[in-house]
Amino acid sequence: MGLQALFFYLFAFVAVASAFMVIASRNPVYSVLFLILTFFNAAGLFLLTGAEFLAMILLVVYVGAVAVLFLFVVMMLDIDFAALRAGVLEYAPVGALIGVILAIELIVVIGGSTLSPEIASNISMPIPPVAERTNTAALGDVLYTHYVYFF
């Protein structure tokens, strides 16, 4: 197993574990901090795929703005979370039904690609490999093309 695969599994495991802790944490401040950790690991996964621009945008926009805003709103508001949790059991059957539907959809999508591998072989890569052209340069070409077209 290569170093890149090791880091992929590390980032993916921490991202999934911290995403679970976002919804499992009882304290909303801890939940926002776990959300920030999830964003950092998602940015690490973007860096592994060569999408440096998306990784930096994720960190700047989501961690720098949205997650901090969530943190300040949660800390500034005095919400009675005990009253909010009292109604959770009322909506549990609807949530379980939606979860089962999503699980069935995932099984159909993953099972469809496993049962008919010729579909997966017909998919072509729309972008050149990173060795030929970096993602940031390709994004600059797209933005320049749209800028010239607009004006």
Side-chain angles (χ1 to χ4, degrees):
M1 178 165 65
L3 190 62
Q4 194 170 18
L6 179 73
F7 276 113
F8 170 78
Y9 287 121
L10 177 72
F11 285 139
F13 176 76
V14 174
V16 170
S18 60
F20 176 75
M21 288 305 295
V22 167
I23 59 173
S25 179
R26 291 190 179 269
N27 190 343
V29 176
Y30 291 156
S31 182
V32 172
L33 292 175
F34 280 120
L35 181 68
I36 292 171
L37 180 63
T38 305
F39 286 151
F40 271 107
N41 285 294
L45 288 170
F46 278 136
L47 284 174
L48 284 177
T49 60
E52 312 88 17
F53 183 76
L54 287 177
M56 292 304 117
I57 290 297
L58 182 91
L59 290 180
V60 169
V61 172
Y62 286 104
V63 174
V66 175
V68 172
L69 177 69
F70 285 167
L71 187 61
F72 283 138
V73 167
V74 165
M75 290 175 67
M76 295 296 278
L77 295 177
D78 188 22
I79 300 173
D80 185 18
F81 288 102
L84 290 175
R85 290 198 180 121
V88 169
L89 291 178
E90 181 180 330
Y91 298 109
V94 176
L97 178 68
I98 291 172
V100 167
I101 290 171
L102 286 174
I104 291 171
E105 288 177 356
L106 283 172
I107 290 170
V108 166
V109 168
I110 293 172
S113 65
T114 309
L115 292 176
S116 52
E118 64 273 356
I119 293 175
S121 65
N122 290 335
I123 298 173
S124 63
M125 293 297 293
I127 58 173
V130 178
E132 293 178 17
R133 186 113 179 113
T134 64
N135 289 337
T136 308
L139 182 64
D141 290 341
V142 169
L143 291 176
Y144 178 74
T145 305
H146 288 299
Y147 177 77
V148 170
Y149 178 74
F150 184 72
F151 292 107

